[in-house]
Amino acid sequence: SEWVQDQMMWLRTLLLLGLVGRLLDECSGHSSEDEDYYMQELLSREHYQRVLEDRAVGKETKPRPAASRPAGGSDPASGNLSHTHTHTHTHTHTRPAGGSDPASSLLTDCPPLGLETLKIDDFQLHASSMRHYGLGPHRGRLNIQGGLYEDDLYDGGWCAGRNDPLQWFEVDARRLMKFTGVVTQGRNPNNYYRRRNEVTTTDNLDFRHHSYKEMRQLMKVVNEMCPNITRIYNIGKSYNGQKLYAIEISDNPGEHELGEPEFRYTAGSHGNEVLGRELLLLLMQFMCQEYLSRNTRIRRLVDETRIHLLPSVNPDGYEKACEAGSELSGWSLGRWSQDGLDIHHNFPDLNSVLWEAEARKWVPRKFHNHHVPVPDWYRSTNATVAVETRALVSWMEKIPFVLGGNLQGGELVVTFPFDRTRSVTALREATPTADDHVFRWLAFSYASTHRLMTHASRRVCHTDDFAKEDGTINGASWHTAAGSMNDFSYLHTNCFELSMFVGCDKFPHETELPEEWENNRESLLVFMEQVHRGIKGVIRDVQGKGIANAIIAVDGISHDIRTASDGDYWRLLNPGEYRVTVRAEGFSVSSKVCSVGYDIGASRCDFVLGRSNLSRIKEIMQKFNKQPISMRQRLRQRHLLDT
């Protein structure tokens, strides 16, 4: 009876272990429906091991029947105990220097493991100990930065709980994996078997990293393919003299068409964030090909919008990062311009100027709430301003952009102004603009159409920004002394600018570019289409001539815009009814109610302004070379005549 009891207890233990194993699998994101997949992985591992053994002795590889695999024994490939639900822990082996790899012909590419991109999820990372949860094994990733507070859930990289040489860190690869090397702040593993959820693209595009010369050549190829809708130009030069090339995509390139909004995408302001650079090169290829294929959506976008793509704002920084390569470039190498400036945060601080004017109650009578002027010191030759930033400012002032997005990396989130805090004492706080509701919609339009940005299992890659569940955030909202490109664009021009952080990995491996393109392609198109939301129109005088610099104000929104040189304007607004008031120097004020619908396509809202009485009097007096006479002077002259 004791033997029977022992056997029953052993059976209960086995059942309990099986239940725990199933629960662990479900907790790590795998259910029983993946059993066949894991069985296939076991068979694949065994076959792969035989490939290595046979290649080593020069034999031909022949598949062995699945029945020959020992049931319940040890896995010959991994050395771990094999059960129905087994997670294979792959260990690192160092290859002798100068030795040959028996399976090198099978393993031609060497993509990253996926720690930085979060393809390796938190449940696959284990460690011998940790100081506290914010420094746990889930933070043992590439390019992790420290948090703001000591008790932050994402406080920094992994930190062991004890100070001894026996600490270890483990990655559960969940499949056979051959590691060819381990590099700090880099990666060079080899994933022989593709992930089940890896996305492939059907677009025939040039998926590779492009040097400066190759980028220029690719833009030339696109221009030659679509000469009627593209134009290449440069906005200036970098510190090292490299031209900042942009490409225009429009049905009438080279001209601003009346009533057609201007849109821009920029990338590479931080030279080591190269994914945005490659996405814009892919986007220009895609739009050219689809236009030639008579894609209705692309043709409408090109015919109704003047699109500008500037793929590399900081080519000097890119060269530094590219020289190190995607495996070793790190978090900061190439981030700054050649003279050590952060181009994205090198713009004048117009936030403080506006907020001080508001505190003094100068707005809107003495000080405008828009088109805040650039300080004189900023334009001086000895100011600490990058030549790339000066080129961007000149470009933004020259073209009446309506909407823009600058692509950055290292995170999966969309940020919008303001990027600075109002409170001097606050390290970080929400600082909304007067158009906060519009910016939120614009940010959500990109984030919600991204394949991963609003995924339920997504979390913040790093600790620069605290992304919300919808993948958006109201700026970085840091208290800094510098102005950002987003804030400057909103306060100095009519353009609403947002930042798209398009991937956790700043410098992804070439093999990941097709998947990253699929992740961002729809978002890139949808965001461009948002330039056609709100109201648009032309402000003319009674003779039909367009009025430049007329001010368009919307009741309830303390941020105005101005007309372009031809008198046309575009005002981004969410659906609803708005009372719009137009003012121009020398003209009478005009107001009307304008409605915005839910469908794509800005509502037309034109205005005709008549000359004001005062301006007509001044015009007449100037015509006859006379000055207006005040009433008191007239009465005095009349009194003298009567006497």
Side-chain angles (χ1 to χ4, degrees):
S1 61
E2 292 181 1
W3 181 84
V4 173
Q5 290 178 0
D6 290 341
Q7 294 301 313
M8 293 296 294
M9 182 176 295
W10 177 244
L11 180 60
R12 286 195 297 269
T13 303
L14 289 177
L15 292 174
L16 180 59
L17 288 174
L19 178 61
V20 171
R22 182 178 297 274
L23 289 174
L24 288 174
D25 282 335
E26 292 177 355
C27 290
S28 62
H30 295 278
S31 60
S32 59
E33 66 183 13
D34 291 328
E35 182 174 347
D36 293 338
Y37 168 66
Y38 279 106
M39 183 64 68
Q40 182 61 42
E41 286 292 323
L42 292 174
L43 297 176
S44 300
R45 287 198 299 271
E46 186 178 5
H47 174 66
Y48 181 74
Q49 182 66 21
R50 289 198 303 276
V51 170
L52 298 180
E53 295 171 355
D54 293 342
R55 286 293 179 90
V57 297
K59 294 181 179 179
E60 235 181 77
T61 303
K62 295 182 179 180
R64 190 182 306 174
S68 64
R69 184 175 58 87
S74 61
D75 188 324
S78 64
N80 294 329
L81 192 62
S82 168
H83 297 291
T84 303
H85 297 276
T86 301
H87 291 174
T88 303
H89 295 265
T90 306
H91 302 280
T92 303
H93 301 278
T94 305
R95 186 169 55 188
S100 61
D101 183 1
S104 60
S105 60
L106 293 179
L107 310 177
T108 56
D109 296 325
C110 200
L113 181 63
L115 282 168
E116 187 172 12
T117 61
L118 299 183
K119 287 183 178 179
I120 299 296
D121 61 37
D122 290 352
F123 296 103
Q124 294 175 251
L125 304 180
H126 312 280
S128 54
S129 64
M130 61 182 178
R131 179 169 296 181
H132 55 77
Y133 181 76
L135 300 173
H138 63 292
R139 299 295 285 170
R141 300 180 182 276
L142 300 167
N143 294 321
I144 288 293
Q145 298 188 98
L148 291 175
Y149 309 105
E150 187 174 351
D151 58 348
D152 191 353
L153 293 180
Y154 303 118
D155 197 21
W158 168 63
C159 183
R162 298 187 302 274
N163 186 16
D164 60 56
L166 302 179
Q167 303 302 311
W168 52 263
F169 186 89
E170 184 180 58
V171 180
D172 182 353
R174 293 181 177 166
R175 56 178 50 80
L176 182 65
M177 189 79 65
K178 179 176 181 180
F179 289 81
T180 61
V182 178
V183 185
T184 57
Q185 289 301 306
R187 61 268 183 229
N188 193 24
N190 198 316
N191 188 354
Y192 180 65
Y193 300 103
R194 299 176 68 87
R195 297 176 59 87
R196 295 182 73 196
N197 62 343
E198 188 166 357
V199 177
T200 57
T201 181
T202 58
D203 297 326
N204 183 24
L205 307 175
D206 188 8
F207 293 105
R208 62 190 177 94
H209 290 300
H210 295 81
S211 65
Y212 178 81
K213 184 178 180 180
E214 292 168 339
M215 178 192 74
R216 176 67 181 89
Q217 182 62 31
L218 179 60
M219 297 173 75
K220 183 179 179 181
V221 170
V222 173
N223 179 240
E224 291 173 350
M225 285 179 59
C226 300
N228 296 330
I229 63 168
T230 61
R231 178 180 71 98
I232 301 174
Y233 65 100
N234 73 83
I235 69 167
K237 292 184 179 181
S238 70
Y239 185 89
N240 287 341
Q242 300 186 93
K243 293 182 179 179
L244 308 180
Y245 285 110
I247 189 168
E248 175 189 342
I249 305 177
S250 172
D251 62 336
N252 192 13
E255 293 183 28
H256 170 73
E257 297 184 64
L258 187 70
E260 186 171 291
E262 309 254 1
F263 177 91
R264 71 166 179 256
Y265 268 135
T266 59
S269 57
H270 298 147
N272 62 332
E273 296 172 4
V274 304
L275 178 55
R277 167 195 178 103
E278 296 303 328
L279 286 176
L280 292 191
L281 294 178
L282 292 169
L283 179 62
M284 64 180 68
Q285 298 175 63
F286 176 79
M287 296 192 70
C288 173
Q289 292 179 9
E290 294 300 306
Y291 189 89
L292 295 177
S293 300
R294 299 189 177 278
N295 182 317
T296 305
R297 181 187 187 187
I298 300 301
R299 281 199 165 240
R300 182 184 302 113
L301 192 57
V302 172
D303 292 343
E304 298 178 358
T305 320
R306 192 181 181 202
I307 302 166
H308 304 258
L309 306 179
L310 180 62
S312 187
V313 173
N314 183 7
D316 299 346
Y318 172 79
E319 283 193 345
K320 290 183 179 179
C322 186
E323 185 178 356
S326 65
E327 315 305 324
L328 299 173
S329 61
W331 188 260
S332 60
L333 180 64
R335 175 184 176 91
W336 297 280
S337 65
Q338 183 65 28
D339 48 348
L341 298 174
D342 185 333
I343 296 175
H344 183 73
H345 294 283
N346 190 223
F347 290 81
D349 172 24
L350 303 184
N351 305 62
S352 300
V353 177
L354 175 64
W355 294 338
E356 183 178 356
E358 289 178 344
R360 295 174 178 270
K361 301 187 183 302
W362 290 350
V363 180
R365 295 184 178 277
K366 294 183 179 180
F367 197 90
H368 292 295
N369 59 16
H370 65 289
H371 281 238
V372 179
V374 175
D376 293 336
W377 67 263
Y378 185 86
R379 297 189 184 274
S380 63
T381 55
N382 59 349
T384 309
V385 182
V387 292
E388 296 89 347
T389 312
R390 293 188 188 276
L392 285 172
V393 171
S394 177
W395 185 47
M396 295 160 71
E397 292 176 336
K398 180 180 179 181
I399 300 177
F401 292 111
V402 180
L403 179 62
N406 62 84
L407 307 186
Q408 301 189 49
E411 186 54 88
L412 267 176
V413 69
V414 179
T415 70
F416 51 91
F418 283 123
D419 289 341
R420 290 203 59 195
T421 61
R422 279 180 178 262
S423 305
V424 178
T425 57
L427 176 64
R428 188 186 188 100
E429 69 176 2
T431 310
T433 66
D435 286 286
D436 188 61
H437 56 296
V438 178
F439 274 115
R440 289 183 182 277
W441 167 256
L442 294 172
F444 186 70
S445 69
Y446 192 99
S448 62
T449 50
H450 191 280
R451 287 188 62 254
L452 303 176
M453 203 171 285
T454 56
H455 195 275
S457 62
R458 183 197 67 86
R459 66 165 175 78
V460 181
C461 306
H462 306 291
T463 54
D464 276 348
D465 302 294
F466 297 106
K468 302 196 310 176
E469 292 181 358
D470 62 358
T472 69
I473 188 173
N474 171 214
S477 297
W478 286 96
H479 177 67
T480 62
S484 72
M485 182 175 177
N486 293 355
D487 290 4
F488 175 82
S489 180
Y490 179 70
L491 293 175
H492 185 64
T493 73
N494 289 340
C495 185
F496 285 34
E497 187 94 15
L498 294 84
S499 289
M500 292 79 179
F501 292 79
V502 292
C504 294
D505 191 350
K506 291 185 175 185
F507 202 148
H509 193 271
E510 278 190 353
T511 57
E512 298 183 11
L513 291 179
E515 184 173 359
E516 293 293 355
W517 166 248
E518 287 294 321
N519 290 342
N520 289 276
R521 179 183 59 187
E522 182 64 17
S523 300
L524 291 168
L525 297 176
V526 168
F527 186 75
M528 280 194 289
E529 292 171 336
Q530 304 313 305
V531 76
H532 296 283
R533 284 196 179 273
I535 59 175
K536 67 177 182 179
V538 182
I539 313 300
R540 295 185 174 93
D541 60 18
V542 292
Q543 282 78 33
K545 183 180 178 181
I547 303 174
N549 284 322
I551 298 175
I552 294 93
V554 179
D555 284 6
I557 303 177
S558 58
H559 180 80
D560 305 334
I561 64 167
R562 298 194 182 192
T563 57
S565 58
D566 295 331
D568 48 350
Y569 78 94
W570 307 263
R571 183 49 163 105
L572 297 176
L573 293 168
N574 287 344
E577 289 190 348
Y578 302 89
R579 174 161 289 278
V580 181
T581 303
V582 177
R583 297 178 176 86
E585 186 176 356
F587 294 89
S588 57
V589 178
S590 179
S591 297
K592 68 169 63 173
V593 175
C594 304
S595 299
V596 179
Y598 287 89
D599 297 332
I600 287 287
S603 302
R604 192 81 189 207
C605 200
D606 298 325
F607 289 84
V608 176
L609 304 183
R611 303 285 293 183
S612 65
N613 292 333
L614 180 59
S615 66
R616 292 173 64 186
I617 293 173
K618 288 182 178 179
E619 185 178 342
I620 294 173
M621 298 302 294
Q622 187 177 8
K623 181 178 180 181
F624 292 98
N625 197 23
K626 295 181 180 179
Q627 297 296 327
I629 302 175
S630 66
M631 184 62 68
R632 180 175 299 179
Q633 289 176 327
R634 289 181 180 180
L635 292 175
R636 185 179 301 168
Q637 290 178 355
R638 182 176 299 177
H639 177 70
L640 292 175
L641 290 175
D642 291 341
T643 57

